[in-house]
Amino acid sequence: MTGDAEQLFVFDIYRKVPKDLTQPTYTGAIISVCCCLFILFLFLSELTGFVTTEVVNELYVDDPDKDSGGKIDVSLNISLPNLHCELVGLDIQDEMGRHEVGHIDNSMKIPLNNGAGCRFEGQFSINKVPGNFHVSTHSATAQPQNPDMTHVIHKLSFGDTLQVQNVHGAFNALGGADRLTSNPLASHDYILKIVPTVYEDKSGKQRYSYQYTVANKEYVAYSHTGRIIPAIWFRYDLSPITVKYTERRQPLYRFITTICAIIGGTFTVAGILDSCIFTASEAWKKIQLGKMH
């Protein structure tokens, strides 16, 4: 049994050096302390990266939400401080032939300024085709002579609301838009380019939202019969490009591999450095002894 154990010792690649053959040095102690501090710093840095969730994004061409039935949910909140609530209405049109005047489902009108103004809040759906929805007086029983379309947009968003710390997109690009100092008789055109957006968390659950870019113009329109009644138009079109955000965390095996590489690499470099310093020091001592003799 003893002979088998002695044969097994031959395969030991981690040979041990007897303690009486090793020599501690002051320089080696300094390098060892610095080495341990450096390893600790890199370890904490890697640990922070490991526990932190990273959000990566990618672009592709597709309709991400195929189960929506070709619909997009819209949330609109707008104040018209100089237009009575009985005059305010929402109209929806698109290229599939939809033409709805005075949409009232899931909407609410809140009087402002002692009834002189109105705040319109509504949730509705639009088809995934180019079209428009507009706030106007078209659904009113009697059209006013000079409707004042000055307004403030509090919110205009599409799809689910994403409130994620690491994602800063244009999900409510028109939020806070103030047109109170514009021409009261002017129409307002907001040209929207809607970009489908997907957010996938670590569990694989996906949420569908939409970002959008906006350009706007203000104008007073006329026809052969006179001035056209102003309105606030939101003309939209969909981008074929989808933006996808995905939560990712560094795999455990990669973290362990990195830590091993840090420890092994640092000790190897420190050992080489210490060996070079020790060799140079010993050579210098021999030179000095040679001069003395």
Side-chain angles (χ1 to χ4, degrees):
M1 191 71 178
T2 305
D4 294 339
E6 291 178 353
Q7 291 180 358
L8 188 61
F9 290 159
V10 177
F11 298 101
D12 185 6
I13 61 176
Y14 300 102
R15 302 299 178 93
K16 309 302 183 292
V17 180
K19 291 185 178 180
D20 56 346
L21 297 179
T22 60
Q23 177 182 350
T25 63
Y26 180 73
T27 305
I30 294 177
I31 292 177
S32 298
V33 172
C34 293
C35 178
C36 292
L37 292 176
F38 184 66
I39 289 175
L40 179 62
F41 169 73
L42 293 181
F43 172 78
L44 293 177
S45 299
E46 286 296 323
L47 181 63
T48 301
F50 174 69
V51 300
T52 301
T53 300
E54 178 187 14
V55 178
V56 297
N57 62 77
E58 59 181 310
L59 304 176
Y60 61 91
V61 179
D62 194 12
D63 179 9
D65 190 9
K66 295 182 175 63
D67 298 329
S68 64
K71 302 286 187 179
I72 300 176
D73 293 328
V74 184
S75 178
L76 175 64
N77 189 330
I78 184 172
S79 292
L80 297 93
N82 300 309
L83 195 63
H84 294 280
C85 280
E86 61 267 20
L87 300 175
V88 176
L90 177 69
D91 310 326
I92 306 173
Q93 298 174 294
D94 63 34
E95 292 187 0
M96 290 184 66
R98 181 182 183 182
H99 188 181
E100 186 175 350
V101 179
H103 178 88
I104 58 174
D105 294 338
N106 298 318
S107 63
M108 179 171 55
K109 300 177 184 179
I110 304 172
L112 300 175
N113 302 333
N114 296 320
C118 186
R119 179 166 179 159
F120 179 86
E121 299 179 7
Q123 286 79 38
F124 54 96
S125 63
I126 57 176
N127 295 315
K128 291 183 178 180
V129 295
N132 74 80
F133 52 91
H134 51 277
V135 177
S136 68
T137 61
H138 298 163
S139 61
T141 304
Q143 291 298 316
Q145 290 296 321
N146 297 304
D148 187 336
M149 303 306 292
T150 55
H151 60 277
V152 176
I153 301 175
H154 307 288
K155 179 183 180 182
L156 175 61
S157 62
F158 300 86
D160 294 340
T161 300
L162 291 182
Q163 294 181 341
V164 184
Q165 183 177 2
N166 296 328
V167 176
H168 304 285
F171 298 98
N172 186 23
L174 276 175
D178 188 331
R179 300 293 182 268
L180 295 179
T181 58
S182 62
N183 185 344
L185 302 179
S187 290
H188 299 265
D189 265 18
Y190 295 100
I191 314 300
L192 313 178
K193 192 70 171 181
I194 302 175
V195 181
T197 304
V198 183
Y199 188 88
E200 182 177 318
D201 60 21
K202 296 189 296 292
S203 65
K205 180 182 178 181
Q206 293 185 338
R207 285 182 287 169
Y208 303 98
S209 187
Y210 296 84
Q211 304 180 63
Y212 61 93
T213 60
V214 59
N216 67 283
K217 62 179 179 178
E218 174 186 331
Y219 60 92
V220 178
Y222 292 90
S223 68
H224 64 280
T225 58
R227 181 171 51 81
I228 298 175
I229 297 175
I232 304 169
W233 298 82
F234 301 92
R235 307 181 192 274
Y236 62 87
D237 193 6
L238 272 78
S239 169
I241 303 296
T242 295
V243 179
K244 183 178 181 180
Y245 297 97
T246 307
E247 288 185 353
R248 291 181 183 174
R249 179 170 288 176
Q250 182 181 355
L252 179 60
Y253 73 86
R254 186 177 299 174
F255 172 71
I256 296 175
T257 303
T258 303
I259 295 303
C260 292
I262 288 173
I263 296 174
T266 303
F267 275 122
T268 300
V269 173
I272 294 173
L273 180 62
D274 180 58
S275 177
C276 292
I277 294 176
F278 180 76
T279 302
S281 175
E282 291 297 311
W284 177 254
K285 289 179 181 179
K286 290 180 181 179
I287 293 173
Q288 294 298 105
L289 289 174
K291 289 181 179 180
M292 292 179 62
H293 291 292

